């Protein structure tokens, strides 16, 4: 069937569940990822002054490549699947913006060809592709990971194997997932004396998406390694602390309630986004994009998010305290009046960040 997205028209297979005659090829297409693609194009518009070429390394129907070509990029699509390649070629040709689609294993192709922006959007974990992506990319690497259960510690062993980090299924699990992924990406880039600094990241529905800006040099890479570390977390009272460093020094017991604690890491403790970059991306979203309103609202929340590496869930705290919760604005105001920083987060309507610890939060809002 033909679909229109972000001003381009592409042929895609019928949605999987509604598949009927003509679905034929089995090439992947997910309408739910429109927000991911809209933000990708807004990022491409934002960096267009320094980037010209874009590799859609796992292109499927070619929809990202077509949209990037429409944004003025010289694009290459790549897929290992012959049906996907045929469909992506057809779509790029019809769009008339030029571009090639190669029928290759993306890893082999990326080791041979350089691009300003490399986009990884594979099935599940992106880890099998990231070494090659950092070798191919001149400026930016964009990564989608849909294996959220391993990333956030719900599938613990799988997370340990894929990411060489200890994930923990805390109440801020989406953020653990993002930061386990960022840790692995930063460490992979560092192996090539590259600093891969996240400039925008979001966790939406079933996936994690991040955009990394590359800077060459051992010293730059070392600086980012210095932003890795560990989080100790108490599941009972939700107290937590984070410490930078590659050698873990875990606490045995929670200093607040004496429960034994959990430790996750090494995770990325630095900023998951650059607020100025995020604001620029927000203004690069045209009204015509299908998810314009949702994307802008998401980016606005992200730009205002504090740099703290973990967030709290207000409802979970009140449940622990055995009291009814108050409104979020009132709650954040109370924290600020008590002298703390506080912000909402994009992880959910009841989530917030603050530099206050659990005891201070309770005292501030009571
Ligand atoms: C999730 S889909 C991509 C979706 C697409 N980016 C979009 O926005 O609709 C993943 C694609 O990766 C392709 N793929 C898997 N392994 C690959 C490999 N080693 N090299 C190139 N493509 C691969 C699959 O054939 C599939 O088409
Ligand atoms: Zn505790």
């Amino acid at each position: 069937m033909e679909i229109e997205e972000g001003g381009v028209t592409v042929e895609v297979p019928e949605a999987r569940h509604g598949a009927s005659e003509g679905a034929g090829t089995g090439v992947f297409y997910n309408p739910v990822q429109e927000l991911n693609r809209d933000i990708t194009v807004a990022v491409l518009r934002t960096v267009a002054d320094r980037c010209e070429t874009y590799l859609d390394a796992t292109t499927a129907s070619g929809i990202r490549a077509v949209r990037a070509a429409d944004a003025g990029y010289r694009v290459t699509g790549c897929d290992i699947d012959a049906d996907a390649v045929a469909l992506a070629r057809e779509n790029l040709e019809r769009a008339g913006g030029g571009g090639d689609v190669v029928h290759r294993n993306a890893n082999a192709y990326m080791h041979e060809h350089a691009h300003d922006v490399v986009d990884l959007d594979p099935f599940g974990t992106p880890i099998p592709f990231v070494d090659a992506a950092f070798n191919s990319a001149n400026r930016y690497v964009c990564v989608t990971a849909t294996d959220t259960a391993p990333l956030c510690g719900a599938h613990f062993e799988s997370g340990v194997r894929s990411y060489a980090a200890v994930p923990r299924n805390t109440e801020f699990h989406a953020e653990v997932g993002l930061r386990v992924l960022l840790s692995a990406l930063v460490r992979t880039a560092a192996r090539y004396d590259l600093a891969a600094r996240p400039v925008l990241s979001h966790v939406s529905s079933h996936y994690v998406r991040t955009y990394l800006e590359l800077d060459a040099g051992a010293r730059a890479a070392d600086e980012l390694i210095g932003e890795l570390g560990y989080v100790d977390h108490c599941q009972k009272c939700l107290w937590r602390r984070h410490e930078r460093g590659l050698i873990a020094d875990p606490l045995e017991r929670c200093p607040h309630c004496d429960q034994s604690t959990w430790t996750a890491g090494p995770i990325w403790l630095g900023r998951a986004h650059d607020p100025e970059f995020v604001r620029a991306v927000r203004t690069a979203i045209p009204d015509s994009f299908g998810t314009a309103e949702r994307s802008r609202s998401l980016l606005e929340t992200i730009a205002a998010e504090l740099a703290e590496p973990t967030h709290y869930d207000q409802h979970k705290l009140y449940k622990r305290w055995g009291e009814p919760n108050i409104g979020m604005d009132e709650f954040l105001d109370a924290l600020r009046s008590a002298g703390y920083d506080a912000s909402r987060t994009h992880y959910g309507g009841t989530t917030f960040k603050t530099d206050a610890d659990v005891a201070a939060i309770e005292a501030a809002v009571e």
Side-chain angles (χ1 to χ4, degrees):
M1 64 177 179
E2 252 182 26
I3 59 125
E4 196 277 336
E5 186 183 286
V8 303
T9 302
V10 290
E11 179 73 28
V12 296
E14 298 277 343
R16 291 195 155 186
H17 299 296
S20 58
E21 302 157 88
T25 68
V27 175
F28 180 90
Y29 166 70
N30 186 355
V32 172
Q33 293 279 18
E34 182 173 359
L35 176 132
N36 181 334
R37 290 186 289 266
D38 280 355
I39 292 177
T40 302
V41 176
V43 167
L44 291 177
R45 288 166 152 235
T46 305
V47 303
D49 58 335
R50 47 205 184 273
C51 299
E52 290 172 5
T53 56
Y54 172 80
L55 173 68
D56 184 5
T58 50
T59 199
S61 68
I63 187 165
R64 273 170 205 271
V66 171
R67 294 196 57 183
D70 187 58
Y73 278 75
R74 269 192 286 130
V75 305
T76 307
C78 173
D79 208 288
I80 203 163
D81 178 74
D83 289 335
V85 171
L87 182 60
R89 277 189 186 140
E90 210 180 287
N91 279 325
L92 264 177
E93 213 162 282
R94 187 184 354 181
D100 297 322
V101 183
V102 293
H103 185 199
R104 293 287 304 276
N105 182 320
N107 280 322
Y109 184 78
M110 288 190 285
H111 276 295
E112 293 165 2
H113 299 272
H115 306 267
D116 294 333
V117 183
V118 172
D119 198 331
L120 298 179
D121 183 32
F123 296 129
T125 177
I127 286 298
F129 300 98
V130 298
D131 284 85
F134 287 128
N135 280 285
S136 177
N138 298 323
R139 306 299 294 254
Y140 290 91
V141 172
C142 329
V143 180
T144 305
T146 55
D147 58 330
T148 49
L151 275 169
C152 76
H155 294 168
F156 182 81
E157 286 83 4
S158 171
V160 170
R161 283 198 309 278
S162 289
Y163 297 98
V166 175
R168 288 294 185 194
N169 199 2
T170 59
E171 86 283 2
F172 49 95
H173 54 92
E175 184 144 33
V176 167
L178 166 63
R179 289 171 184 282
V180 164
L181 173 67
L182 290 174
S183 165
L185 296 174
V186 164
R187 283 181 283 129
T188 303
R191 300 214 302 262
Y192 307 103
D193 287 351
L194 271 180
R197 185 177 283 285
V199 286
L200 167 59
S201 311
H202 60 104
V203 184
S204 303
S205 52
H206 65 289
Y207 65 90
V208 181
R209 176 74 166 166
T210 186
Y211 299 81
L212 306 154
E213 191 172 76
L214 305 183
D215 188 6
R219 195 172 304 162
D222 286 345
E223 235 174 71
L224 296 206
I225 294 288
E227 295 195 46
L228 299 172
Y230 293 84
V231 172
D232 293 315
H233 177 256
C234 171
Q235 281 175 281
K236 190 171 166 209
C237 74
L238 309 183
W239 177 92
R240 76 284 305 264
R241 73 156 187 189
H242 58 271
E243 284 206 327
R244 284 173 164 71
L246 285 179
I247 298 171
D249 184 17
L251 279 178
E252 299 272 304
R253 312 205 76 81
C254 171
H256 187 52
C257 76
D258 206 39
Q259 174 85 5
S260 62
T261 52
W262 265 5
T263 303
I267 64 168
W268 173 251
L269 294 176
R271 292 207 84 127
H273 63 268
D274 167 356
E276 213 174 296
F277 184 84
V278 178
R279 280 187 210 104
V281 174
R282 186 181 176 280
T283 60
I285 295 190
D287 292 341
S288 58
F289 279 10
T291 74
E293 216 170 291
R294 268 199 300 142
S295 294
R296 285 182 191 143
S297 146
L298 173 67
L299 293 168
E300 194 173 323
T301 307
I302 290 172
E305 241 174 63
L306 294 186
E308 294 294 321
T310 69
H311 64 265
Y312 295 89
D313 185 312
Q314 195 222 26
H315 286 189
K316 288 187 180 142
L317 281 175
Y318 275 101
K319 208 164 158 202
R320 297 290 194 287
W321 300 336
E323 288 168 32
N325 61 288
I326 60 172
M328 194 58 150
D329 287 331
E330 191 189 341
F331 182 85
L332 295 177
D333 280 345
L335 281 171
R336 291 182 191 123
S337 304
Y340 300 104
D341 276 341
S343 77
R344 289 176 181 268
T345 91
H346 78 284
Y347 298 101
T350 60
T351 63
F352 70 97
K353 291 195 173 193
T354 180
D355 53 353
D357 70 14
V358 270
I361 297 171
E362 191 169 7
V365 301
E366 101 191 331

